[in-house]
Amino acid sequence: MKRLFRLSFSLALFILCTAFAQTVAVVTPYLAQPGTQFMVEAFEAAAKAKGWTVNVIDTAGDVAAVISRIEDVVTQGVDAIVINVDPAQVAAGLASAADANIPVFGMDAGTDAMLVTNVTSNGYAMATETSSYVVDRIGGAGRVVMFVFDAYPPVQKRGVVADAIFGNYPDIEIVDRITPDVSDGGIADSRAKMEAVLAANPDAGSISAVWAAWDQPALGALQAIEDAGRGAEGIVIVGIDANPQALDAIRAGGNFEASVSQDFNGIGSTTADLVERYLGGETITQATVYVPTTLVTGANVGDFVSQ
Amino acid sequence: MTRLGRLTRRFGTLLGFLIVILFFWFNLPDTFMTARNLLNISQQVSMLAVVAFSMTIVMVMNDFDLSVGSMASLAGIVAALLFSQGSSVFLGVSAALAVGLLGGLINGVLVSLVGILPFVATLGTLTIFSGLAFFVSGGKTIFGRDIPAAFSGFARAGLPLGTLNERPLLLPNLTLVALIVLFLVWLTLEHTTFGRRLYAIGGNREASRLAGVRVRLLRLLAFVLTGLGAALAGLMYASRVASANPTQGAGLMLDAIAAVFLGMTMSEEGEPHVLATLVGVLILGVLDNGLTQMQVDSYVREMLMGGIIVAAVASSSLGKQS
């Protein structure tokens, strides 16, 4: 009991001391995911440099709790809120923030009219990087297998760009445009699909490249190609996201040659900068702010080991 | 035992709840004890409340239903899938509630007629309902245009109570639903023969049977009601997040059991009562709200909440031994 009051007194003092600096709440259900962790840590570091108080709230996968926690920090009267969750699912929370005139920023969240802006990577640009890489590696001619997922808008964007770039080369033929079953994580089914494609195209050189809209199908295709004993045919595989498994594969120097790394640290610190600009009175006109991504190949894969 | 001892034992949890409220009031003088924040908390706990109230019905008989969380997810998915195929809100909601009834019936049959321990039977159905939710949804979240505005708008609307600081003050619809469920469960458990017999079964199942209580039928019906309540909570959740995901109700089950246990510490006989469950739910909700406002780290918040539950149950249990 006594201890409770002592704790409350010290907390009250603490709150009094920090009452005059900017207070920003970061709310996400996904803090356990590495990408989110990098973003949040970079945001916290940037905010600390600006002298803000940051309250990071993780609801451990519970999206309704994100709404509740947004309502709580609105009641608390924070200066700004940053979310890392699909804005459409937390519209009730965004509405309560709007009622109280508290700005909400998306950090890799999705574009929404109720957000000041959303900071993320450009899916079109990432797909441009890997499709151009494939075109250059096969000299603008050859047979390409594509792995896409048009049901999920952020990945659908990538496929559209690859279609356009490959379509611009009359000597590039799309052997198959495969949508893998992702319920098992995407690797196993992509591998099975790739095995079928290899069986249907048994001649060495009949497949020039595999373009995958994200890393899992690329890894599945890599397994299929290696297990079929066709690793030496020079089939070029590319993915997107540069997940740790993909980085390992690129480092190993086999068929998996390239992927794209999102700059999660950059997304975090850029979000902090945008919050600062907005609170400083600037109008943010872009509904989405893109942070540049980096093509990862054998040449620079060493730079990405730590991520 | 002294009179004072008996009082602290009975009202220790309530006293603890009051201390928690005073603590937040003292630390958050401007924002905690406001009409808006309290209404806000009532809305935040409404889904948990409905699950906990329904859970109280089976816990009265010393039974459990571990499947409520996955039933809530499944109900949300069923409604959302029907919406995405163009069904009306009425049809989607009815179908989801029917799934709840059916799931509860399955639990009831397994526990009451087949005679499987509730822990094992509902652990099994937990897995089945969860698998079914993944299967019918393909593992995807259903959201956006698939969810009709009339459905998602329900959770964002409420009864106007007036205006405060030039913003309308609403009694949220979700709070209203929880209050209605509270009233119905209270009426059923405390003021019907059915409810009193459930308590009798909880007291001594064999004696109740020998006294002519139709134990099997009543247990079965109790599980049906719990399934229905879980489905309703799943619909409330789906409406609040304007989407349905095959795992979204999973967190409700343990919190609901915790709330009922917290409530049980307030009863002389250690029986669950739905009004006491309400106090348990409010303790959890107020802690979540207050600790968030005080910027306590999410993980510390979780540990504190677990610690408070254990402390409450421990103090009540020690009180009973002395």
Side-chain angles (χ1 to χ4, degrees):
Chain A
M1 197 59 202
K2 220 185 260 172
R3 223 177 303 155
L4 208 62
F5 276 117
R6 211 178 305 154
L7 178 73
S8 71
F9 181 65
S10 56
L11 273 165
L13 253 182
F14 172 75
I15 286 163
L16 215 69
C17 293
T18 53
F20 298 103
Q22 305 281 24
T23 304
V24 183
V26 180
V27 193
T28 174
Y30 307 126
L31 197 59
Q33 289 177 14
T36 301
Q37 260 168 32
F38 286 126
M39 286 187 273
V40 169
E41 278 167 19
F43 181 89
E44 283 185 289
K48 198 177 164 196
K50 299 177 199 299
W52 300 346
T53 306
V54 180
N55 183 17
V56 178
I57 300 161
D58 175 32
T59 64
D62 188 340
V63 178
V66 170
I67 299 177
S68 300
R69 298 292 81 78
I70 291 175
E71 290 166 351
D72 292 348
V73 297
V74 165
T75 305
Q76 178 202 334
V78 294
D79 298 291
I81 300 170
V82 174
I83 59 166
N84 168 245
V85 63
D86 178 4
Q89 287 183 272
V90 298
L94 301 184
S96 74
D99 285 345
N101 285 321
I102 296 175
V104 184
F105 297 77
M107 187 160 70
D108 202 14
T111 306
D112 192 285
M114 298 187 87
L115 298 180
V116 174
T117 188
N118 177 44
V119 183
T120 186
S121 308
N122 190 336
Y124 295 125
M126 292 194 281
T128 305
E129 292 276 359
T130 57
S131 351
S132 320
Y133 180 87
V134 166
V135 168
D136 295 340
R137 278 286 283 111
I138 65 178
R143 307 182 76 229
V144 178
V145 179
M146 293 176 71
F147 282 92
V148 294
F149 202 85
D150 291 345
Y152 182 54
V155 176
Q156 182 265 348
K157 280 183 170 179
R158 303 174 180 181
V160 161
V161 167
D163 289 338
I165 291 180
F166 294 141
N168 200 32
Y169 294 84
D171 295 333
I172 289 183
E173 182 195 342
I174 304 302
V175 180
D176 206 345
R177 199 173 183 280
I178 300 165
T179 302
D181 179 356
V182 294
S183 58
D184 59 1
I187 295 186
D189 188 62
S190 304
R191 176 185 170 149
K193 297 267 160 64
M194 190 65 207
E195 281 166 352
V197 171
L198 290 170
N201 298 275
D203 301 330
S206 54
I207 307 282
S208 325
V210 176
W211 182 92
W214 71 110
D215 284 333
Q216 272 78 2
L219 290 162
L222 175 67
Q223 290 178 2
I225 289 167
E226 285 181 343
D227 284 12
R230 297 177 65 172
E233 280 177 29
I235 303 174
V236 176
I237 304 174
V238 296
I240 291 179
D241 293 334
N243 74 28
Q245 243 182 307
L247 290 175
D248 276 350
I250 294 170
R251 195 176 309 117
N255 297 76
F256 199 142
E257 295 190 5
S259 185
V260 177
S261 174
Q262 302 191 48
D263 182 6
F264 291 117
N265 291 323
I267 293 174
S269 54
T270 304
T271 308
D273 290 342
L274 281 157
V275 172
E276 184 178 41
R277 281 165 54 191
Y278 183 85
L279 293 180
E282 191 177 324
T283 310
I284 310 291
T285 51
Q286 285 166 277
T288 309
V289 174
Y290 293 116
V291 172
T293 54
T294 313
L295 184 74
V296 183
T297 63
N300 63 352
V301 66
D303 304 341
F304 293 90
V305 183
S306 56
Q307 284 213 358
Chain B
M1 179 188 277
T2 62
R3 204 182 146 77
L4 186 70
R6 219 169 25 233
L7 279 177
T8 39
R9 190 185 76 199
R10 180 107 195 254
F11 295 106
T13 302
L14 204 55
L15 197 70
F17 181 42
L18 288 177
I19 290 171
V20 166
I21 288 178
L22 288 173
F23 172 77
F24 287 134
W25 200 350
F26 176 66
N27 279 294
L28 303 161
D30 300 327
T31 57
F32 181 73
M33 202 49 104
T34 63
R36 202 178 296 283
N37 192 46
L38 297 182
L39 286 171
N40 203 355
I41 293 175
S42 76
Q43 171 167 267
Q44 294 174 358
V45 300
S46 59
M47 297 151 278
L48 171 63
V50 168
V51 177
F53 299 157
S54 325
M55 181 72 91
T56 308
I57 303 174
V58 285
M59 286 182 72
V60 158
M61 309 177 299
N62 289 329
D63 286 336
F64 278 103
D65 186 348
L66 301 182
S67 70
V68 286
S70 57
M71 173 48 76
S73 308
L74 179 62
I77 287 284
V78 166
L81 269 182
L82 286 171
F83 294 153
S84 69
Q85 287 162 12
S87 296
S88 65
V89 171
F90 177 77
L91 186 68
V93 167
S94 312
L97 292 176
V99 167
L101 268 179
L102 192 68
L105 188 67
I106 294 171
N107 281 332
V109 166
L110 291 176
V111 170
S112 176
L113 301 186
V114 182
I116 307 176
L117 281 176
F119 187 87
V120 181
T122 59
L123 186 64
T125 53
L126 176 164
T127 318
I128 294 171
F129 298 158
S130 162
L132 196 59
F134 271 102
F135 179 72
V136 296
S137 65
K140 285 194 277 287
T141 302
I142 303 162
F143 66 104
R145 260 167 295 171
D146 288 339
I147 309 293
F151 181 73
S152 52
F154 178 79
R156 288 159 66 178
L159 279 183
L161 297 176
T163 48
L164 187 72
N165 303 332
E166 291 158 23
R167 283 160 55 200
L169 203 60
L170 296 175
L171 178 63
N173 280 341
L174 293 181
T175 304
L176 271 177
V177 173
L179 286 174
I180 293 168
V181 173
L182 174 67
F183 177 72
L184 291 177
V185 173
W186 173 78
L187 200 69
T188 309
L189 286 181
E190 310 287 339
H191 293 281
T192 64
T193 325
F194 170 67
R196 301 322 297 168
R197 286 189 174 150
L198 293 188
Y199 277 105
I201 295 173
N204 188 327
R205 193 180 304 158
E206 191 54 25
S208 309
R209 194 182 63 80
L210 293 173
V213 175
R214 298 167 74 184
V215 173
R216 286 184 157 192
L217 179 70
L218 296 189
R219 275 181 101 196
L220 195 151
L221 283 176
F223 273 96
V224 170
L225 291 179
T226 304
L228 186 64
L232 178 63
L235 286 170
M236 293 164 72
Y237 195 118
S239 171
R240 182 153 161 87
V241 298
S243 59
N245 164 294
T247 61
Q248 67 190 15
L252 291 170
M253 181 262 287
L254 283 177
D255 281 347
I257 293 179
V260 179
F261 270 122
L262 276 173
M264 279 162 69
T265 61
M266 295 167 59
S267 143
E268 191 99 23
E269 300 79 20
E271 285 173 339
H273 288 278
V274 73
L275 291 176
T277 300
L278 172 67
V279 174
V281 167
L282 289 177
I283 291 177
L284 296 178
V286 164
L287 279 173
D288 246 340
N289 173 278
L291 293 173
T292 305
Q293 286 199 47
M294 286 178 62
Q295 310 190 8
V296 174
D297 183 280
S298 327
Y299 303 131
V300 173
R301 181 160 50 89
E302 236 171 87
M303 289 188 287
L304 271 178
M305 291 186 56
I308 285 167
I309 293 168
V310 172
V313 179
S315 67
S316 143
S317 152
L318 284 175
K320 270 165 204 146
Q321 282 164 23
S322 61

